[in-house]
Amino acid sequence: MDKPSVLLGCVHNAGRSQMAAARLTPLTGDRVEVRSAGSDPGTAVNPAAVEAMREVGIDISAEIPEILTTDAVQQSDICITMGCGDTRPVYPGKRYLDWQLSLLEEIAPPPRQDNGT
């Protein structure tokens, strides 16, 4: 029997979905396949997300944002979006959830460059 699969998605796969996957993975052990992806993935995980997870003892600094594919949705038993209005393919027989979470950028905006003014 294959193990169940959870797909966590958000637009950039650079903050909320990466953090959720990093928290869920140790809770499920090897009983559940946990993946994350985004419809418009960023180039790197948000540094604020990396720091927040580091504070709770989880290192996500090596994670890389992944593209959300139709195959990923088809292969997942549960698809969870992170309240970011992300679009995703919908297939019959799949369970879809939307977790309403604050935008990471609202909580911890990325540092601005100091232009000396």
Side-chain angles (χ1 to χ4, degrees):
M1 180 175 153
D2 292 331
K3 60 183 168 182
S5 175
V6 174
L7 175 63
L8 299 144
C10 65
V11 174
H12 301 299
N13 188 225
R16 292 167 286 179
S17 56
Q18 291 281 356
M19 295 170 76
R23 288 296 280 180
L24 185 58
T25 298
L27 294 174
T28 62
D30 63 353
R31 298 181 312 271
V32 176
E33 178 185 15
V34 178
R35 295 175 289 137
S36 69
S39 58
D40 183 20
T43 57
V45 175
N46 186 317
V50 173
E51 181 57 31
M53 296 307 289
R54 185 175 289 125
E55 289 174 7
V56 296
I58 299 174
D59 181 9
I60 62 170
S61 62
E63 297 300 324
I64 299 169
E66 300 287 336
I67 186 76
L68 177 63
T69 65
T70 300
D71 286 343
V73 174
Q74 285 180 311
Q75 295 169 6
S76 299
D77 297 299
I78 300 175
C79 299
I80 303 170
T81 54
M82 304 283 110
C84 48
D86 198 23
T87 59
R88 68 194 182 277
V90 176
Y91 293 96
K94 300 292 176 190
R95 183 172 176 197
Y96 297 94
L97 302 172
D98 186 48
W99 291 350
Q100 294 295 318
L101 304 173
S102 297
L103 293 174
L104 183 61
E105 293 79 12
E106 292 173 2
I107 299 168
R112 290 184 262 169
Q113 288 186 331
D114 184 3
N115 62 8
T117 58

